[in-house]
Amino acid sequence: MKLNTVLLSGLVAILLSCPAAAQTAKKEIHNKEFNWTIVIPEGFESVTAEEWARLENKGADAIEKTYGEKVENRAKTIFVFRSNRLHYLESNYQSYDVKEDGDYPESVKNVNDILYGTFEAQLPNAKLDSAFSTEVISGLTFQRFKIAITLPNKMVLNVWMYSRLFGKKDFSINIMAVDKEKERLLLEAWRNSKFGKQ
């Protein structure tokens, strides 16, 4: 099963417990691949590639248990930052050829449906609410999927997933937060980020 790792990162945040991260200063990141600049908010620490790979594997296991198919992870991580448990900002990309992989918006919707189904199966006592739309960031239109997961203890995890096709590269950024202020800071950082000429 070929899936965007947006699935994996979304699952990781809620199905796993991670230790608290140290407080850090704001950090500007420029990605040459997409000519993209974003300022990471204060208090978010970088997650190592090794640790993220372990978390992604656990997320993939949850999807495989739900759907009975092997997950093929083709994505390259741009960065992962976190603050405490359940507050993440993650970005990745992977190759995507419309001729081989099909209609892009349809593919994004299919991935979102699989994510929703996995959460539903793995968290049967949680209440799920989701919405699919588009949003313009730095003059570019992104596919946006938001899912709110209300756990039995009344804690609400909001997961925001944005994707866009840049030529033959599928770009994604994912935000996961429980705390409203941290969610606001992450969304603000993303919405104020800039993409230069491609």
Side-chain angles (χ1 to χ4, degrees), residues 3-125:
L3 294 176
N4 183 321
T5 53
V6 85
L7 284 173
L8 307 178
S9 55
L11 283 169
V12 172
I14 194 160
L15 297 177
L16 302 173
S17 296
C18 297
Q23 295 301 304
T24 56
K26 284 184 180 180
K27 180 178 182 179
E28 182 175 289
I29 294 178
H30 180 76
N31 176 265
K32 291 180 184 178
E33 191 83 32
F34 297 96
N35 197 11
W36 172 48
T37 302
I38 184 170
V39 177
I40 307 302
E42 184 177 337
F44 284 80
E45 177 185 64
S46 181
V47 175
T48 67
E50 296 78 18
E51 182 180 357
W52 188 244
R54 284 194 304 271
L55 297 176
E56 282 186 315
N57 289 337
K58 290 183 180 181
D61 288 345
I63 296 167
E64 290 170 1
K65 285 177 185 173
T66 302
Y67 289 94
E69 292 184 51
K70 185 78 176 158
V71 172
E72 180 186 336
N73 183 355
R74 303 179 298 163
K76 295 178 182 176
T77 302
I78 297 172
F79 61 69
V80 183
F81 285 88
R82 74 168 178 224
S83 173
N84 302 320
R85 202 173 70 106
L86 303 178
H87 299 95
Y88 280 84
L89 176 66
E90 182 265 348
S91 183
N92 69 71
Y93 70 96
Q94 63 184 332
S95 62
Y96 192 97
D97 187 337
V98 174
K99 290 178 182 176
E100 293 177 15
D101 299 315
D103 180 69
Y104 183 71
E106 184 179 324
S107 175
V108 171
K109 178 157 186 339
N110 289 340
V111 167
N112 295 340
D113 289 344
I114 291 168
L115 177 60
Y116 188 97
T118 304
F119 277 131
E120 194 171 46
Q122 299 296 320
L123 301 166
N125 297 320

